[in-house]
Amino acid sequence: MNFGRRAFIQAAGGAIGGILVSPLPWQLAADSAKWSQNWSWRPSPERGEITRAAGVCTMCEGGCAVQVRLVNGNRAISIEGNPANPLSEGGICPLGASGLQFLYAPYRIAQPMKQTGRRGDISGLKPISWEEALGELGKKLGRMRAEGKSRELAGIISNSASSMSDLWLQFFTSYGSSNLFRMPSAADGLRLAAQLTTGKASPFAFGLGNAEYILSFGSNLFEGRGVASLVFAALRQWTREGKRSVKLVQVESRCSMTAARADRFVAVEPGTEAALAMGIAHVMVRRGCYDVDFVKDKVFGFEDWSDNTGKKRRGFKNLVSSAPYTPEEVAKVTGLEAAKIEELAEEFASRQKALAIWAIGQADNVNGAYHHLAFAALNALKGNLKPNGLVSLAPAVPLAGLPPVQKDPGADESAGPPGLDVVRSGSAPYRRYGFYEFLDDVREGSKCSVEMLLVHEANPLYSIPENKLFEQALEKVPTLVSFSSYMDETAAKADLILPDHTAFERYVDVVGIPCAPFSYYALGAPVMKPLLDTRHTGEVLLRLAGSIGAPVRASMPWKSYEEYLRFRVQGIAQSRKGAIADKPDVPIIKLSSAQSVQPNYSSGEELWKKLKSGCCWYDAPSPVAGFETASGKFELACRSIGAEGALGDDKLYLPHFAPAELSGSESEYPLLLVAYKPSYTTVGYLPTPSFMNKLIPDKVLQGGDILIELHPQTAAELKFAHGQRVFLKTTQGGAAVRVNISEAARPGVVYMPQGLGHWAYDLYVRGKGANANSLMEVHLDPVGLMGTLLPCRAQLRSEERGNL
Amino acid sequence: MRQKKSKALASKPLGAVFSLSGFIVALVVGWIVFPNLLYSKKAQPLNFSHAAHRSEECESCHSLRADGTYSGIPGISRCRECHESAQGNSREEASLISDYVEKNREVVWKVYGRQPDNVYFSHAPHKGRGLECTRCHRDVSKEEKLPAYRQNLITGYSLSTMKMVECEKCHASKGASNNCEICHK
Amino acid sequence: MSEGRHAQGGVRFGMVIDLDKCTGCGACSVACQAENNISFRPDESNKLRSITWMSIFELNNGGHYPDYKYAFLPRPCMHCDSPGHAPCTFVCPVNATTRDENNGIVTMVYPRCIGCRYCIVACPYHARSFNWWDPKWPEPMESMLSPEVSTRMRGVVEKCTFCHHRLLAVRSKAYKDGTDPDKATYTTACADACPAKAIVFGNLLDPQSEAARLSKDPNAFQILKKLNTKPKVYYISAHDWIRKLSDNAVA
Amino acid sequence: MDRALIPAGLKRCSLPVFGLWMLLLFGVIGWGVFAGAVVLLKAMNVTGLNDYFGFGAYITVDLAIIALGAGAFFSGFLYYGLSRFFPSLKELGKIINLAVVVGFVCYTGALAILVLEIGQPLRAWFGYWHANVHSMLTEVIFCISCYAIVLIVEYVPVVLENRKLCEVKPIKVFGRSLHDVMAIFALTGTFLSFFHQGSLGGIAGVLFGRPYAYRAGLFIWPWTFFLFILSAIASGPAFTALICGVLEKVSGKKLVDRSVYDLIGKIEGVLLSVYIVLKIADTAYWGLVQSPGLGLKMGDFYWGPYGIWLLIAEIGVCGVLPAMILLWPAGRKSNFLLFGAFFLDIAGVSLNRFVMSIPAFAAPVMPFDKWQVYIPTVYETAPTLAMLAYCALIISLSYRYLPLFPREKELNRA
């Protein structure tokens, strides 16, 4: 055996030598290294021809034209701006650039689903076929209508303007319900203010591109979304020649991105921007440096006035000149020095093309009607509302109107329980803004009942301030139908889900851009086959209309959503207005009613083709031809607010600073909580995409912890260290948060970012911090009954868990 | 002790034999057995006879796109242009029609020269410099039957994938850049 | 001698970023992620391990509320032009990262990188990220990956490449069209995306290019100029406090 | 078997006791190997490293252990090389075997850790195949592997002196002949170790983007290149001596004459003081001339846990102090002071390696950048501890079964 061992060793020795002079070991080394090229199971993207398809981004109201890059014409890989678009000039925002992460989102709903278990139990949601889903929904809608319960159908849709929302309205009206609501937004306030002062129901629009001095009352211009397209177009305009030609003054309490990038930051107590506006008005009036002619000829209620009962009423001049609006008084409220107010007013009054803006962007409505009026008043004093002025009304897009709704022959209108329109008569002159009041009524269940609620492109359960109102209202609603493409918080609670396509899988359009002083229309055709078994909600509505009843069918005669859009676009063609922009150098941002745009398209067909190819349609606004108020003037004293003589206090007709009663005692809740919308989160129907997660700074989110901003001094008083875990409590709720000591925060105020704290979707979205909406308190505005999000009282308690 | 020693001495010539045999066995394993084990032969889903298509221009199937990228192996739609219906009655032809053309399925060819993801290769510059296809590709003009596709079991790459050193040599000799990012993405 | 090599080539791609136009929206960073198949994880809040080629730093003037001011500084790879070698290319033991002296782009070859992270240590701009995890895309997000850029494997370093695959594409087209490939120009994904047009990309040696013009702007500056890394990324700001933050100045 | 292997005429502790000790060491090694396996399988996210700390515990320990190991073998150079000219150095022969063992374990251990340190171990060999000649790391890769080979060659004859192995004639012959050529290896080894030590220093020194680490220098070599060499030889022999001292304490036997310690003390004293003088000069230039030129003042380099204490400890407590003790004859006389000084010396050099691989890169360079702190995880500490355990293991085995100390027998005649 000894011998054997020796032999073995010798053979082995030889073998080793042999192997070393063969390729084996070297090849193995090389190949293992090559293997590591695919370590470990590194995905290998399919190769092929790369093409671009035009589309329009509908992820916010901005309406940027975009291009989708495709591999082999069927796999979308990225979204780019469309260089031919005069609004974006090829630029795109982070949300737009992340767009495909929604198309390929793991949390997309793959096919219709029906809740078989308890509501809200995800595992109870079982896939069903489209035939079943549509059949079930159609049957139910038909039955309700037959039973005269059509008013018990309610709907909540997104607040962006598209032909889809018009189709929804058509559907509801023809069905016989007026309970269709858009998600609340700051635009509501702009529309209301415009309606009160000018008598026209389209929101104010601002000539950002033509202004030279912009006094912004808390508009988050640079926080992205909303009017990002407009703001960036303006920003490029301002900096055309390299240096900024426009002075931007930002008035708000937090040093927001806008405030930081503004030429001047005027820091005021949260929610007192309107007081400052009134203070500025005071100075302008006192010094007489305002557009005297315009005010004399075109403004009603500047001087004292008498209503038609003959009662003498105080005018605006009289009001601002008196006690609460002297710089000294305003200084007390806003926390500014009186001198600074004088100086600011001086600057605003003296500068040419000075513009006061507010409520721009995808913002919550943080101002009551009277505050909106105060800001509008400043523009009135500057004479900005003259024809071709810096402030105009958002021009309408001449789309073909929808056919008149047919009533059922012999249907008794009074039959059945009343709809909300009847219920709320008299409570406020402008009930159409009453989304929150609707929620209240449904919660109480006394005034009205809702049998079925339809939700499309909205996630109210998460994204409305004081979202528990919706949750409570939902408990009173037997059936919730969601058309969401994603398993969001609201969809997860639905009893029936009919998932919509995502953008780029369907026909979409953009009808105008909020606050834009020009009219704009863009259209997007599907760039690829739908990934999943989803259906265009527009098509679904048309299909349902067919199954419900003759009148509804007749009011929505189109075979497909594409056909419907073609029909609408024909309207533009017939109007022979506006033009197609296929070059970026169209000065769309500088358009005013002074210019007239010559049509550059011959036929409706050509227009349609051009729109489909990614070009947008635009038109200069038509000059504001007079005001449609009772006085025929711009009403500083809005007589339409109260039936003549109904209101005791004169100032209730006038712009004024009206601080709301905050709930909770100051002793228990010594701090103020302000929720802000940062640029790196999304706050509406869409969650923050994974790409944008990388943008969220670690001073806002660390792991699962959200950080609130606190001024060093306040933190010192409370003995909080940076990063310390604390508990934030308001009268509405509480959340575990951590402290970010920041110089951007105003002393005594807690700033909490919105868009975090989702509990639905997937682990890329879920479990990141807390949802600010569930801590906030919403106040009903007395004029429009619109929900107003004011700063609310809050307290911070240190948690035992201590620092980290 | 002493006994052991004598044994050791006795086994000296034998020892040489043992080690030599070990050496030879190793050589055989290293040079012949191993390479054959390392590469697996894989058949193409379908035979394609380049010879049979000699009438066609190469470019009519393998062309550069307008953006300068290379179309590679044509898709089934291109085949359909001529093979809407069977062109002859070979089994291959029948399968082409029934399994692909009619079902409108792409043929999943195994690409002999396919480079890894991290490699960027553009035909345009090479064609532009007037290189013959056969400089890198096998001459297919008379090829009746597609050769077997040989795949490296460890790397998963094709045996005929051109090695980097080959590219570098040619680039160097032609004075073309050998910077990494010219060929890597 | 390295100087000599350095001099050759009439092309030096570079970037100029106007910090006064930048609003810090992050479009550049996201566009970059989409263009370059940058992997992401459920939790990206640990910025020291989050892979971004275009990171956005926040600058502030050190003031106190309400005189506090801040601005944003998008930071791609600087593609340092320092004589002979960039800080990173100098130290890479395996030539996985090199500078193409024909166009000045500092490149990175993933299958060559052994993951020693020496280059990460060498870079004062933190422009390089290491793949601490296996790249994994949630189903079905792999469908979003671009074939123009290879995905990285675990354990290697990656960084901004000035989207050089776009350069290869335009050169390839130039060859096809028979035009001069060395004259071909392109832009990066970030520059394309920027909604404020704050990012300008181009050949710094071509007097006609806007990038070259802007890089000579009196308000233009480089970061850490004193280190002599010769960044090819320039920044512009009219604000002194921002320009002050461009380099360390011993008080 | 155990008995048979123990060198003739030498006393060793009983097998069970030794077994227990082995068991302990194997325990630690096993733990470290497991942790290492996790790092390789799960990728490096299990470590405390991140994009701000590319280097961490692995590199620090490697640098330190290599400095001490290579330095240890410097005594080999003194013995084989210089003793021809300075007979007094012959004394070192009494401890030279141990020096070889120490050098061997340190290098092989360090190599093992390096495999964990790189993200793509399968590509480790690219360092030779695709070498970038400009990179200090390339120098390191080449030197470290060549030198590891040299050390193995040097360790072999020591092993071959084992009683049982010597019974086999050819082996004995082979071993002896190796001994004769050892001088050549010692010299190549020393050259390699010098060069390699220097390139390790170069690693930090060449980083012109990192003012904290960057140093000007001669030709392509920054000052750290030379400082690392000096510090290594100024601490390595001390390391050997310290280990020897520990062995004596543990075994309760005299292994070398006190004179050896004294000699090493003297040598180290001189070397350390030369080093520390240069180090001070270098630090002064770096802090007061070079850094201001790059816009930074020394204060910018020290913050929080990475405070100025590092500098004081490294240069003052662990530099000047031991140097003075070792130069002072009375100091060398006292075991406490002598070995204390050895210890401080070693600590100082290790601290230097730590500073050059962690705080040096924690210091922000961009004015708007922030300091970060690095905390190693168990996946870094375990393998490094295991590496130390491995060193202890080999040393124990060598001591038990090999005649490391030629004078052990006489010294312990009772």
Side-chain angles (χ1 to χ4, degrees), chain A residues 94 175 266 344 578 590 750:
Chain A
Y175 184 81
V266 179
L344 192 59
K590 291 187 76 68
V750 180

PDB file of all heavy atoms in Angstrom, chain A residues 94 175 266 344 578 590 750:
ATOM      1  N   PRO A  94     -39.242  65.695 -13.302  1.00  0.00           N
ATOM      2  CA  PRO A  94     -38.870  64.362 -12.822  1.00  0.00           C
ATOM      3  C   PRO A  94     -40.038  63.375 -12.851  1.00  0.00           C
ATOM      4  O   PRO A  94     -39.840  62.203 -13.149  1.00  0.00           O
ATOM      5  CB  PRO A  94     -38.390  64.607 -11.393  1.00  0.00           C
ATOM      6  CG  PRO A  94     -38.843  65.979 -11.042  1.00  0.00           C
ATOM      7  CD  PRO A  94     -38.966  66.731 -12.304  1.00  0.00           C
ATOM      8  N   TYR A 175     -77.482  60.796 -16.738  1.00  0.00           N
ATOM      9  CA  TYR A 175     -77.964  59.757 -15.818  1.00  0.00           C
ATOM     10  C   TYR A 175     -78.955  60.351 -14.830  1.00  0.00           C
ATOM     11  O   TYR A 175     -79.864  59.678 -14.363  1.00  0.00           O
ATOM     12  CB  TYR A 175     -76.786  59.137 -15.075  1.00  0.00           C
ATOM     13  CG  TYR A 175     -77.162  57.991 -14.160  1.00  0.00           C
ATOM     14  CD1 TYR A 175     -77.360  56.714 -14.663  1.00  0.00           C
ATOM     15  CD2 TYR A 175     -77.329  58.197 -12.792  1.00  0.00           C
ATOM     16  CE1 TYR A 175     -77.704  55.666 -13.829  1.00  0.00           C
ATOM     17  CE2 TYR A 175     -77.663  57.153 -11.946  1.00  0.00           C
ATOM     18  CZ  TYR A 175     -77.859  55.882 -12.471  1.00  0.00           C
ATOM     19  OH  TYR A 175     -78.203  54.849 -11.641  1.00  0.00           O
ATOM     20  N   VAL A 266     -40.091  87.299   1.570  1.00  0.00           N
ATOM     21  CA  VAL A 266     -40.767  88.048   2.610  1.00  0.00           C
ATOM     22  C   VAL A 266     -41.436  87.049   3.555  1.00  0.00           C
ATOM     23  O   VAL A 266     -42.417  86.396   3.200  1.00  0.00           O
ATOM     24  CB  VAL A 266     -41.820  88.999   2.012  1.00  0.00           C
ATOM     25  CG1 VAL A 266     -42.535  89.745   3.119  1.00  0.00           C
ATOM     26  CG2 VAL A 266     -41.155  89.957   1.046  1.00  0.00           C
ATOM     27  N   LEU A 344     -42.313  97.490   0.688  1.00  0.00           N
ATOM     28  CA  LEU A 344     -42.768  96.482  -0.269  1.00  0.00           C
ATOM     29  C   LEU A 344     -43.900  97.055  -1.119  1.00  0.00           C
ATOM     30  O   LEU A 344     -43.900  96.944  -2.346  1.00  0.00           O
ATOM     31  CB  LEU A 344     -43.243  95.244   0.501  1.00  0.00           C
ATOM     32  CG  LEU A 344     -43.505  93.977  -0.305  1.00  0.00           C
ATOM     33  CD1 LEU A 344     -42.250  93.544  -1.035  1.00  0.00           C
ATOM     34  CD2 LEU A 344     -43.992  92.857   0.602  1.00  0.00           C
ATOM     35  N   GLY A 578     -56.874  79.840 -33.504  1.00  0.00           N
ATOM     36  CA  GLY A 578     -55.606  79.299 -33.027  1.00  0.00           C
ATOM     37  C   GLY A 578     -54.776  78.657 -34.119  1.00  0.00           C
ATOM     38  O   GLY A 578     -55.084  78.736 -35.301  1.00  0.00           O
ATOM     39  N   LYS A 590     -45.610  84.497 -24.136  1.00  0.00           N
ATOM     40  CA  LYS A 590     -45.779  85.958 -24.175  1.00  0.00           C
ATOM     41  C   LYS A 590     -47.091  86.384 -24.817  1.00  0.00           C
ATOM     42  O   LYS A 590     -47.382  87.573 -24.918  1.00  0.00           O
ATOM     43  CB  LYS A 590     -44.606  86.607 -24.930  1.00  0.00           C
ATOM     44  CG  LYS A 590     -43.290  86.513 -24.166  1.00  0.00           C
ATOM     45  CD  LYS A 590     -42.182  87.291 -24.840  1.00  0.00           C
ATOM     46  CE  LYS A 590     -42.326  88.787 -24.618  1.00  0.00           C
ATOM     47  NZ  LYS A 590     -42.103  89.166 -23.202  1.00  0.00           N
ATOM     48  N   VAL A 750     -44.258  74.106  12.705  1.00  0.00           N
ATOM     49  CA  VAL A 750     -43.790  72.777  12.308  1.00  0.00           C
ATOM     50  C   VAL A 750     -44.156  72.572  10.849  1.00  0.00           C
ATOM     51  O   VAL A 750     -45.305  72.794  10.465  1.00  0.00           O
ATOM     52  CB  VAL A 750     -44.473  71.682  13.160  1.00  0.00           C
ATOM     53  CG1 VAL A 750     -43.996  70.312  12.740  1.00  0.00           C
ATOM     54  CG2 VAL A 750     -44.213  71.934  14.632  1.00  0.00           C
TER      55      VAL A 750
END
